[in-house]
Amino acid sequence: MNSVFVYCEIEDGHVAEVSQELLTKGRSLADELNCKLEAIAIGHQLDEIGKQIIPYGVDTLYIADDKRLSPYQTLPHTSIVVNLFKEEQPQIALMGASSVGRDLGPRVSSALHSGLTADCTSLVIGDHFDKKQDKNYENLLYQIRPAFGGNIIATIINPDCRPQMATVREGVMKKEIRDPKYKGKEVKLDVAKYVSDTDFVVEIIERHVEKSKLNIKGAPIVVAGGYGMGSKENFNLLYELADVLGGEVGASRAAVDAGYTAHERQIGQTGVTVRPKLYIACGISGQIQHRAGMEESAQIIAINTDPEAPINAIADYVINGDVAEVIPKMIKYYKKNTK
Ligand code: FAD
C-alpha cells in the first residue's frame, strides 16, 4: 500500500506544531492502512531535523536542503513536493492549514489533479459504496470539516484521484511522539533534480515576522469572554481571573467584533483552537463555530444567565448567574483559598 505523507513546515530549524500534530495523525492513519508514514522537510541546514521528525513514527523522511529553500517560497517548494509525489505516489498527503499549507496545498493538488479538502477538523478511514457505479471503495480518507458557516459537518471523499489531500487546522489534533528511538530512514534529495532555475524568480529582500507573545494554545487554563461580558471594561475581570489562575484570556467572535478584545484572542472556527485543562466560558452562548475551537477542553465551566444556553450542554459545571457577580467572587475566593 502506498504511504501517508506529511509536509513538515520548518521555521528557524524547528518543526511547526501543526506538522507535529499531522505526523501524529499520519502515523495512526498509516497504522490503520498498514502502510508507511513518510514526510518531507524542505529548507536549509537540516542535518539535525530528522531527530525532531522521525520519533513521530516516520518510516522515511525526505530532506531537501539548499540555501535557496529557506525561508519558504511557493515555487521551489511546490516543484519539490509535486515531483516527489509523482515518484512516491502517496495515497494520502497532509499539510497544515497555515499560511504555508494554504499556499502550497492548492498548487500541489492542482498540478497533480488530485483535489484538496481545506481546513479539516477530523480525518478518519472508512469505506464508501457508490450506488451509481455499484462499486465499493475501501479505506478512503474521510476528510471532515465544518461547512456552510459551520451549520453542517461535511464528510468529503475522493475515491478516484491520488493523493487524497487535506489541510488541517493547527491545534485540532493531538501531538504525540511514537517512540524517541523510532527507526526511520532519511533520504537526502538531490535538489537540482527537483527544481529548475525558473523556480527561483522571486528574491526575498527582507523578512519581518510578527511574533505574538500571546500563547492561548499553550495555556493550561483559558478564561474566555463572550458578548455577555457587556463591555471592554468588563473584560478586565477576565484578565484578573486569568491572572490569579495562571491562564490566558480568550474570546468569542461576537466579543471581538464588539471591540471588547483583540482578534488574536478569538477562539473557534475562524480563530484559534484550544484544548486546555480548564476552559471557563463567561457570557458565551456556545454556538457551533465557537465550540469548534474549544470543545476538546478537558473541563469546561460555563457562566451564563441563560440556563438554556447551548454551552451548558457541553459544560462539566454550569454557573447560572451574571458574570458581573460571579467572576469577582471567583477571583476573591480563589485568592483567599490559595493564600
Ligand atoms: P451571543 O451569542 O450573543 O451570546 C451571549 C451569551 O451571553 C448568551 O448566552 C447570554 O445568555 C449570555 N449573557 C448575557 N449577559 C450575561 C451576563 N450578564 N452574565 C452571564 N451571561 C450573560 N464565533 C466564535 O466565537 N468563534 C469563531 O471562530 C466564529 N467563527 C464564525 C465563522 C462563521 C462563518 C460564522 C457564520 C460565525 C462564526 N462565529 C464564531 C460566530 C458565532 O456564530 C456566534 O455568533 C458567536 O460565537 C456568538 O458569540 P457569543 O456567544 O459571545 O455571543
Side-chain angles (χ1 to χ4, degrees):
M1 282 286 267
N2 295 356
S3 63
V4 173
F5 215 110
V6 174
Y7 171 86
C8 292
E9 272 175 51
I10 316 287
E11 188 70 47
D12 295 335
H14 296 287
V15 179
E17 295 245 337
V18 68
S19 306
Q20 297 172 40
E21 291 157 12
L22 289 179
L23 289 168
T24 309
K25 185 68 193 178
R27 181 65 263 169
S28 72
L29 294 174
D31 286 345
E32 212 175 328
L33 294 166
N34 200 14
C35 70
K36 282 184 178 173
L37 173 64
E38 302 192 295
I40 182 159
I42 304 177
H44 186 42
Q45 295 177 326
L46 299 178
D47 289 348
E48 301 289 307
I49 207 72
K51 288 183 189 153
Q52 290 181 49
I53 296 175
I54 289 176
Y56 284 94
V58 174
D59 299 298
T60 310
L61 170 63
Y62 296 91
I63 300 174
D65 192 333
D66 187 302
K67 199 168 179 251
R68 298 169 300 169
L69 296 173
S70 179
Y72 170 82
Q73 274 201 46
T74 308
L75 296 178
H77 281 235
T78 302
S79 288
I80 292 169
V81 175
V82 167
N83 289 326
L84 186 64
F85 281 6
K86 280 183 184 165
E87 286 171 14
E88 297 305 316
Q89 308 269 325
Q91 56 173 312
I92 291 174
L94 307 176
M95 294 177 189
S98 56
S99 48
V100 168
R102 284 177 176 150
D103 182 61
L104 180 68
R107 282 182 177 259
V108 172
S109 76
S110 156
L112 298 173
H113 303 287
S114 66
L116 166 85
T117 304
D119 279 11
C120 291
T121 50
S122 175
L123 298 171
V124 177
I125 302 296
D127 298 343
H128 171 67
F129 181 72
D130 188 321
K131 281 187 198 153
K132 270 192 198 154
Q133 297 183 60
D134 192 26
K135 189 174 170 187
N136 195 40
Y137 291 89
E138 286 182 349
N139 290 331
L140 292 176
L141 181 68
Y142 286 8
Q143 301 154 48
I144 301 167
R145 55 154 298 161
F148 295 108
N151 291 316
I152 63 159
I153 300 293
T155 299
I156 295 161
I157 52 164
N158 176 359
D160 298 318
C161 304
R162 294 292 175 270
Q164 301 162 86
M165 280 188 71
T167 63
V168 177
R169 293 188 51 191
E170 185 171 351
V172 178
M173 292 171 182
K174 285 186 186 151
K175 57 171 186 180
E176 199 170 53
I177 297 261
R178 171 57 62 100
D179 175 357
K181 294 192 181 121
Y182 194 83
K183 292 218 178 324
K185 66 171 179 181
E186 292 183 14
V187 176
K188 298 240 159 59
L189 298 177
D190 177 2
V191 174
K193 246 182 74 190
Y194 291 83
V195 290
S196 62
D197 287 344
T198 51
D199 287 327
F200 294 98
V201 287
V202 174
E203 187 190 349
I204 297 176
I205 296 164
E206 201 184 317
R207 198 159 175 263
H208 175 75
V209 181
E210 194 76 43
K211 282 212 171 112
S212 167
K213 285 192 194 115
L214 187 65
N215 183 13
I216 304 187
K217 271 180 285 186
I221 298 175
V222 174
V223 180
Y227 193 65
M229 287 304 297
S231 69
K232 195 174 178 179
E233 291 65 41
N234 288 353
F235 245 68
N236 289 334
L237 282 174
L238 304 179
Y239 295 112
E240 211 181 319
L241 180 60
D243 195 35
V244 287
L245 294 177
E248 265 300 351
V249 173
S252 71
R253 176 154 142 185
V256 171
D257 288 349
Y260 298 169
T261 190
H263 173 71
E264 60 179 346
R265 295 190 185 272
Q266 184 177 314
I267 289 165
Q269 191 187 320
T270 41
V272 291
T273 304
V274 295
R275 44 170 80 237
K277 287 187 183 140
L278 176 63
Y279 190 89
I280 308 179
C282 310
I284 292 179
S285 57
Q287 300 304 316
I288 187 165
Q289 297 90 353
H290 185 78
R291 295 205 310 262
M294 48 65 72
E295 61 196 347
E296 297 279 320
S297 305
Q299 293 274 322
I300 298 170
I301 300 176
I303 308 170
N304 204 302
T305 43
D306 178 6
E308 305 295 328
I311 191 83
N312 296 351
I314 59 159
D316 299 280
Y317 300 95
V318 173
I319 303 174
N320 191 208
D322 189 327
V323 285
E325 289 171 21
V326 177
I327 299 174
K329 281 186 188 160
M330 288 173 87
I331 296 168
K332 183 175 156 195
Y333 288 109
Y334 193 83
K335 275 184 179 166
K336 197 169 141 193
N337 292 332
T338 49
K339 259 183 193 162

